[in-house]
């Protein structure tokens, strides 16, 4: 993967990994570190693999005890879009135990402007159902991770 990204961008993620490894050697290899962000590459991309295969960082999704990810992280401002690609990542050092990982796909709703009764089959007449439209605040779904420091005793 990564053919659509400029080589300089791909190389910058690989450079980031190398710099991170060097900095961790300087300040202490066993110190905890969390690297979250919108990396614009999914879990199959070579720069993602450079980060995760080095052993310095792990993808919280991959090592979580419990995952809630019914969708990837990019949605293009449309809550009906589906992808398995995760371009927003939370990378952690092995000093963390990942309890839960979630891609939060909740949306909010507002009444449609026409404010008419929705057309629903098999609905008793006394029940009033109006139409909403689904909205999401970003073109990315948020990622939530619940983690704890590993007990090294």
């Amino acid at each position: 993967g990564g053919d659509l990204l400029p080589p300089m961008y791909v190389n910058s993620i690989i450079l980031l990994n190398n710099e991170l490894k060097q900095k961790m050697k300087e300040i202490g290899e066993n110190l905890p570190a969390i690297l979250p962000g919108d990396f614009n590459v999914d879990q199959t991309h070579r720069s993602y693999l450079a980060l995760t295969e080095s052993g310095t960082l792990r993808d919280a999704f991959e090592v979580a005890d419990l995952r809630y990810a019914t969708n990837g992280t990019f949605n293009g401002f449309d809550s009906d879009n589906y992808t398995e690609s995760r371009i927003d990542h939370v990378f952690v050092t092995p000093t963390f135990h990942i309890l839960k990982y979630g891609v939060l796909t909740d949306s909010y709703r507002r009444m449609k402007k026409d404010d008419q009764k929705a057309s629903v089959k098999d609905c008793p007449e006394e029940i009033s159902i109006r139409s909403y439209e689904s909205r999401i605040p970003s073109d990315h779904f948020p990622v939530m991770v619940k983690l704890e420091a590993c007990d090294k005793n």
Side-chain angles (χ1 to χ4, degrees):
D3 299 330
L4 299 177
L5 291 173
M8 185 170 67
Y9 182 83
V10 173
N11 291 338
S12 69
I13 294 174
I14 294 169
L15 179 63
L16 170 69
N17 184 51
N18 293 336
E19 290 291 323
L20 180 65
K21 285 194 294 191
Q22 182 60 38
K23 186 57 74 179
M24 290 178 76
K25 283 181 184 177
E26 290 172 18
I27 62 175
E29 291 186 59
N30 293 324
L31 291 176
I34 302 170
L35 179 61
D38 171 4
F39 288 81
N40 281 325
V41 296
D42 79 359
Q43 63 274 16
T44 65
H45 194 271
R46 66 181 180 261
S47 57
Y48 166 92
L49 297 173
L51 282 172
T52 57
E53 291 177 352
S54 72
T56 305
L57 295 171
R58 303 178 308 159
D59 182 350
F61 173 87
E62 296 295 339
V63 297
D65 291 344
L66 178 66
R67 290 185 209 142
Y68 178 78
T70 60
N71 204 340
T73 61
F74 185 74
N75 60 51
F77 284 107
D78 185 345
S79 61
D80 292 331
N81 286 342
Y82 174 78
T83 182
E84 291 183 7
S85 293
R86 293 175 287 106
I87 64 172
D88 303 278
H89 302 284
V90 179
F91 296 109
V92 298
T93 53
T95 56
F96 288 105
H97 175 208
I98 308 304
L99 301 168
K100 297 178 183 179
Y101 172 98
V103 176
L104 308 180
T105 58
D106 294 351
S107 61
Y108 65 94
R109 306 193 182 292
R110 70 176 186 191
M111 265 326 156
K112 286 189 175 179
K113 294 187 191 288
D114 62 14
D115 198 33
Q116 292 184 3
K117 189 172 180 178
S119 175
V120 180
K121 295 179 182 176
D122 298 328
C123 178
E125 282 186 31
E126 67 273 11
I127 296 176
S128 176
I129 299 178
R130 299 183 354 202
S131 294
Y132 281 106
E133 62 183 338
S134 176
R135 309 283 291 178
I136 48 180
S138 173
D139 60 340
H140 295 241
F141 290 121
V143 173
M144 185 184 90
V145 173
K146 183 175 183 180
L147 53 80
E148 62 186 9
C150 290
D151 185 10
K152 295 290 182 181
N153 295 332

